[in-house]
Amino acid sequence: MGRYLLKRLLLILPTLFGIMLINFIIIQFAPGGPVEQALAQASGLNMSSTASVSTASMGPSRGTGYTGGSGLDPELVARLEKQFGFDKPAHERFLMMIWNYLHLDFGTSYFQDRPVVELVLERLPVSISLGLWSMLIIYSISIPLGISKAIRDGARFDIWTSGVVFTAYAIPNFLFAIILIVVFAGGSYLDWFPLRGLISEGFDTLSLWGKIKDYFWHLALPLTALTIGGFATLTMLTKNSFLEELNKQFVMTARAKGLKESRVMYGHVFRNAMLIVIAGFPAAFIGILFTGALLIEVIFSLDGIGLLGFEAVIKRDYPILFGTLFCFTLVGLIMQLIGDMTYVLVDPRIDFETRD
């Protein structure tokens, strides 16, 4: 186990380097860039029109083509290129970026003039709140429901719950969010929940219990929207995994020995059936934490990491874009390793050691 863990830890660095390199190369060919954004603001042009002028925003010759089409001063373009660091070759900028990241220096936002770390830490509570609580709720619902459906496979309970699960899965979570706002947030019917934000304005003046109630009061609708559309896949995965284990010979043998059904399910079947569920946990957690809640953040006016990354893509704010990509990738790789290690906790027979 120790050798496997060390090997996986050593693989994180080259994997992270490769992901950053691929994305950096792709960015070189993306239309528009921070220089074009600044020039568009200076000339009063819309970015959608300036993006079409430049098809290689970070290339060395884009400044001439851009200014020739818009009549801007070449000295202004050169000054902006130097300000954003685009006066250097691409490979030098990439190596400098990686070197700074290794020293936990993620730079400063081009357009907000604030450190990237400060912006991420400011938005992190929202994303953690949405991701963590929604995952806990989804797993708390899906695993017991999937086990119950496996035990009652083909019964009325299984049929009706399958209808509910697939209906919830078919409706996008952002549509649920809009319905919840219309019905419960002062849209057309009830005004029970706040429409935006994670906390109220007078949050600091509340007692501890008042802060807890206010926090979950604001999270009620976003979490409901995320949960309703998120538990279908995990529920069916749990059910099918348990059904596969229930049909194996060792389960029939355990039942023939007279063991109680609860002992068969949770003493023999559970450990094997949960392996496939655990395998998907890291990806599901990272997906909900950083990307899955983007539309929910927009609808409920929650400033989270997903919205920050989306705004960085739109504005071509590369320090935020690459800084968040670096952090997300690193966390994702670590979560994947933690998922593998959890295999051993669930089933001690797994040790990942090489056998002759």
Side-chain angles (χ1 to χ4, degrees):
M1 175 61 70
R3 291 169 53 192
Y4 175 80
L5 181 60
L6 179 61
K7 191 184 302 181
R8 286 291 300 273
L9 289 173
L10 293 176
L11 282 174
I12 287 179
L13 289 179
T15 303
L16 187 59
F17 180 85
I19 292 174
M20 296 297 296
L21 178 60
I22 292 172
N23 283 273
F24 187 86
I25 293 174
I26 292 174
I27 289 296
Q28 308 307 303
F29 301 99
V35 174
E36 280 72 16
Q37 290 277 354
L39 290 173
Q41 293 175 6
S43 60
L45 298 175
N46 190 312
M47 192 57 212
S48 60
S49 62
T50 60
S52 62
V53 176
S54 173
T55 57
S57 65
M58 300 176 72
S61 62
R62 74 191 183 291
T64 304
Y66 186 90
T67 55
S70 61
L72 294 176
D73 186 359
E75 294 183 1
L76 172 62
V77 179
R79 187 164 63 250
L80 288 174
E81 287 181 345
K82 185 175 182 179
Q83 175 184 340
F84 292 122
F86 294 146
D87 56 334
K88 301 180 179 65
H91 68 278
E92 289 186 15
R93 286 186 277 116
F94 176 75
L95 294 176
M96 184 182 300
M97 180 184 70
I98 295 298
W99 177 257
N100 291 334
Y101 285 1
L102 292 177
H103 292 81
L104 301 181
D105 179 10
F106 297 98
T108 303
S109 169
Y110 287 156
F111 301 103
Q112 300 188 48
D113 197 26
R114 296 174 59 189
V116 173
V117 174
E118 180 180 322
L119 290 170
V120 170
L121 292 178
E122 184 180 279
R123 305 285 188 99
L124 201 56
V126 172
S127 293
I128 290 179
S129 296
L130 292 175
L132 182 61
W133 291 115
S134 61
M135 285 300 298
L136 289 176
I137 295 173
I138 289 172
Y139 269 72
S140 299
I141 295 174
S142 299
I143 292 177
L145 180 59
I147 295 174
S148 300
K149 288 173 64 63
I151 296 175
R152 300 173 176 85
D153 183 42
R156 182 175 298 179
F157 172 82
D158 180 41
I159 296 174
W160 281 102
T161 52
S162 293
V164 173
V165 166
F166 288 123
T167 300
Y169 180 73
I171 302 176
N173 56 14
F174 69 87
L175 183 57
F176 272 120
I178 295 174
I179 294 173
L180 291 173
I181 288 176
V182 172
V183 177
F184 297 107
S188 301
Y189 300 95
L190 304 174
D191 191 9
W192 290 354
F193 297 95
L195 184 59
R196 57 185 302 159
L198 191 61
I199 55 177
S200 300
E201 291 184 2
F203 183 80
D204 294 334
T205 62
L206 299 175
S207 63
L208 178 60
W209 176 242
K211 290 180 179 179
I212 294 175
K213 288 195 299 182
D214 182 76
Y215 171 71
F216 284 105
W217 183 48
H218 283 77
L219 278 177
L221 295 186
L223 287 181
T224 302
L226 280 174
T227 302
I228 287 177
F231 70 90
T233 302
L234 184 60
T235 299
M236 300 310 297
L237 180 65
T238 304
K239 175 192 172 181
N240 294 333
S241 180
F242 270 81
L243 277 178
E244 182 180 355
E245 294 298 322
L246 286 172
N247 293 325
K248 290 185 176 179
Q249 185 65 41
F250 75 92
V251 176
M252 300 178 185
T253 303
R255 286 172 173 167
K257 290 181 178 180
L259 295 180
K260 295 181 179 180
E261 189 65 20
S262 59
R263 178 65 185 277
V264 174
M265 286 295 299
Y266 297 101
H268 295 76
V269 176
F270 184 83
R271 183 172 61 186
N272 295 328
M274 285 301 294
L275 289 177
I276 191 172
V277 176
I278 293 173
F281 176 79
F285 179 77
I286 295 298
I288 291 181
L289 184 61
F290 295 122
T291 58
L294 172 59
L295 291 176
I296 301 300
E297 292 176 8
V298 174
I299 292 172
F300 289 99
S301 300
L302 298 171
D303 293 330
I305 297 293
L307 185 58
L308 177 66
F310 176 75
E311 292 173 346
V313 173
I314 297 299
K315 296 179 179 179
R316 304 300 195 268
D317 199 337
Y318 293 147
I320 295 179
L321 182 61
F322 285 111
T324 51
L325 174 65
F326 181 88
C327 296
F328 297 169
T329 305
L330 181 60
V331 172
L333 293 171
I334 294 174
M335 287 298 298
Q336 191 66 52
L337 178 58
I338 293 175
D340 290 346
M341 295 300 102
T342 309
Y343 280 148
V344 181
L345 298 178
V346 176
D347 191 348
R349 295 173 299 177
I350 300 176
D351 60 5
F352 295 107
E353 294 293 341
T354 303
R355 296 289 185 265
D356 294 333

